[in-house]
Amino acid sequence: MPFTAKKGSFKFLLLMLSVMVLGGLFAACGDDDDDEGGQGATNTTEQAGGITSTEMEVFSWWTGGGEAKGLEAMIAIWERDYPNVEFNNAAVAGGAGSNAKAVLAQRLAANDPPDSFQGHAGAELSDYIKAGQIQALNQYYDEWGLNDVFPQDLIDQITVDGKVYSVPVNIHRANVLWYNPAILTEAGIAAPPKTMDEFFAAMDKVKAKGKTALSLGEQWTVKHLMETVMIAELGADGWADLWTKAGDWKSANVTKALDTFKKVMTYVNSDYASLTWQDAAKQVVDGKAAFNIMGDWAEGYFLELGKKANVDYGWAASPGTAGIYDWLSDSFTLATGAPHEDAALAWLKLCGSKEGQDAFNPAKGSIPARKDADVNKYGVYLKSAMDDWKTATLAGSLAHGVVANNAWSTDIDGALGLFLQNKDVAKFQTALATAHATHTA
Ligand code: GAL
């Protein structure tokens, strides 16, 4: 696993101590809120699971395109089990949390946290931990029997100094090449490309047929694409190195990877900046584009559109990444000062449960984080992903919070934005090396 928390340093210890103190203060504030919240009458009435809160707010960025469907499946279980505790779905639209994270940051800064919010396992979660914005859940991991059901590698990504801070609902694969089988046949492409050279050759053939070779969307999807190209060029180990202090962003290998990425960008639709990930992915199943590189949430969307696996769409590891799982995991947290902590805990229990995960993931297009899921509930793509996960080499996602924290990722966004204007690889590489130096200092 590439993620390394800088545990153990004195500075970090101090930070954690202040986090604990602040955490206690905020938790106390949260309790007060509840008492003064005008819910006095209902608060005294015990409901299912001993919950006295009458509502609970969950924050995510799952508002449509297959993503909302997975969330709705869990909300349906919530409403069955806790009919008197209103589920307040505070999702903010925008793939990969492109808008949600800013809204969340504002709310957390204003001490107005949702009860539970989505956070990616890895560096992104460590931001919230270091800022004291989320609470440790060890006691509940014990109570709910979660320690044995998640892969240890995954638990490590959500743990700092022995404290585990979130409940993962899934594992996504980012490096998936989705393709339109009919377009490949029409263009004389016998099999999905396995290497970058094969990819360019295949895209030339598609272009010659007058179709979009590679559909792409707004900037976070460009970063996602760049990540898969860099992993192809550098390998999982070379990629992992970049996120360590010793990582060499100025190397010739990185130059070559960025050159390849620049070339890939010559095959995409010119209006990419104005398309969502759903718009771009849809071009494949609509027969407008041959390829799209996107996480497997795209499959949840294709299924929601009524499309059929291996008919309307096929898949392969993105070129050059066979055997690598560019992974990420959505997890839910207990906010420090959560106004409805009792209900939030019931939500987290549901997130970690077999029933919850087996309802959520088949619709979301992700494999369950739990190791004991009911495989029969999953479609042909997800069954293949479950098999791949067992044997793959892992590479952590940049675009989805595993290898870089929010601040580093934002600096990379800035550099990428300029590169998309000037196409200057040397300047881009220098800016990326500067970001590395800044965030590993
Ligand atoms: C990722 C998230 C996925 C999916 C995707 C597109 O960051 O982990 O669950 O929602 O964004 O929005």
Side-chain angles (χ1 to χ4, degrees), residues 198-270:
E198 284 181 22
F199 193 28
F200 289 126
M203 290 198 292
D204 284 333
K205 287 183 181 166
V206 176
K207 258 177 132 176
K209 291 283 173 191
K211 297 239 154 122
T212 299
L214 178 65
S215 61
L216 188 64
E218 59 191 306
Q219 198 182 309
W220 74 262
T221 74
V222 184
K223 181 162 70 167
H224 184 117
L225 173 64
M226 177 179 91
E227 152 179 339
T228 64
V229 173
M230 290 186 76
I231 292 171
E233 296 286 285
L234 300 170
D237 287 346
W239 174 252
D241 283 349
L242 291 180
W243 310 101
T244 65
K245 196 170 171 54
D248 184 5
W249 283 83
K250 294 181 178 153
S251 75
N253 285 345
V254 171
T255 312
K256 183 168 172 277
L258 296 178
D259 280 336
T260 305
F261 168 58
K262 180 178 173 177
K263 185 170 172 190
V264 170
M265 286 299 294
T266 64
Y267 290 88
V268 307
N269 44 300
S270 56

Side-chain angles (χ1 to χ4, degrees), residues 128-418:
Y128 302 123
I129 298 170
K130 286 177 191 163
Q133 290 161 331
I134 54 180
Q135 302 187 45
L137 299 169
N138 295 53
Q139 170 192 349
Y140 306 103
Y141 264 64
D142 292 341
E143 259 176 46
W144 305 334
L146 297 184
N147 291 308
D148 300 327
V149 297
F150 296 135
Q152 189 56 44
D153 281 347
L154 180 57
I155 294 186
D156 289 347
Q157 301 289 327
I158 53 177
T159 302
V160 170
D161 284 351
K163 293 195 181 140
V164 58
Y165 281 91
S166 66
V167 177
V169 280
N170 65 4
I171 291 160
H172 270 304
R173 187 175 197 174
N175 59 324
V176 188
L177 178 74
W178 303 100
Y179 62 88
N180 179 304
I183 298 183
L184 263 57
T185 306
E186 185 197 334
I189 302 163
K194 289 198 175 58
T195 63
M196 275 295 163
D197 286 344
E198 284 181 22
F199 193 28
F200 289 126
M203 290 198 292
D204 284 333
K205 287 183 181 166
V206 176
K207 258 177 132 176
K209 291 283 173 191
K211 297 239 154 122
T212 299
L214 178 65
S215 61
L216 188 64
E218 59 191 306
Q219 198 182 309
W220 74 262
T221 74
V222 184
K223 181 162 70 167
H224 184 117
L225 173 64
M226 177 179 91
E227 152 179 339
T228 64
V229 173
M230 290 186 76
I231 292 171
E233 296 286 285
L234 300 170
D237 287 346
W239 174 252
D241 283 349
L242 291 180
W243 310 101
T244 65
K245 196 170 171 54
D248 184 5
W249 283 83
K250 294 181 178 153
S251 75
N253 285 345
V254 171
T255 312
K256 183 168 172 277
L258 296 178
D259 280 336
T260 305
F261 168 58
K262 180 178 173 177
K263 185 170 172 190
V264 170
M265 286 299 294
T266 64
Y267 290 88
V268 307
N269 44 300
S270 56
D271 62 347
Y272 67 86
S274 60
L275 303 188
T276 63
W277 72 262
Q278 289 97 333
D279 296 333
K282 191 166 182 293
Q283 291 194 0
V284 169
V285 290
D286 283 352
K288 292 184 179 144
F291 300 109
N292 177 245
I293 292 180
M294 189 35 58
D296 45 13
W297 45 90
E299 215 235 353
Y301 180 44
F302 295 156
L303 293 175
E304 203 201 347
L305 292 172
K307 303 295 178 185
K308 299 245 168 321
N310 286 325
V311 177
D312 300 306
Y313 60 93
W315 61 89
S318 62
T321 69
I324 296 178
Y325 216 100
D326 177 12
W327 76 277
L328 59 122
S329 170
D330 294 304
S331 69
F332 280 90
T333 60
L334 176 62
T336 302
H340 311 98
E341 190 168 309
D342 54 354
L345 285 168
W347 158 248
L348 293 177
K349 187 174 181 186
L350 169 58
C351 288
S353 71
K354 185 165 150 137
E355 185 189 18
Q357 300 219 342
D358 280 343
F360 172 75
N361 287 299
K364 178 67 165 66
S366 38
I367 64 172
R370 287 181 71 110
K371 295 183 281 186
D372 60 351
D374 182 353
V375 178
N376 295 322
K377 294 210 159 80
Y378 295 79
V380 50
Y381 164 73
L382 287 174
K383 281 194 177 113
S384 76
M386 286 184 198
D387 284 345
D388 289 348
W389 169 254
K390 286 181 197 142
T391 55
T393 303
L394 302 185
S397 172
L398 160 65
H400 308 283
V402 180
V403 287
N405 66 6
N406 283 332
W408 190 352
S409 209
T410 302
D411 282 356
I412 293 173
D413 290 339
L416 175 59
L418 288 176

Side-chain angles (χ1 to χ4, degrees), residues 59-70:
F59 186 96
S60 75
W61 53 85
W62 296 333
T63 58
E67 306 184 323
K69 217 161 175 202

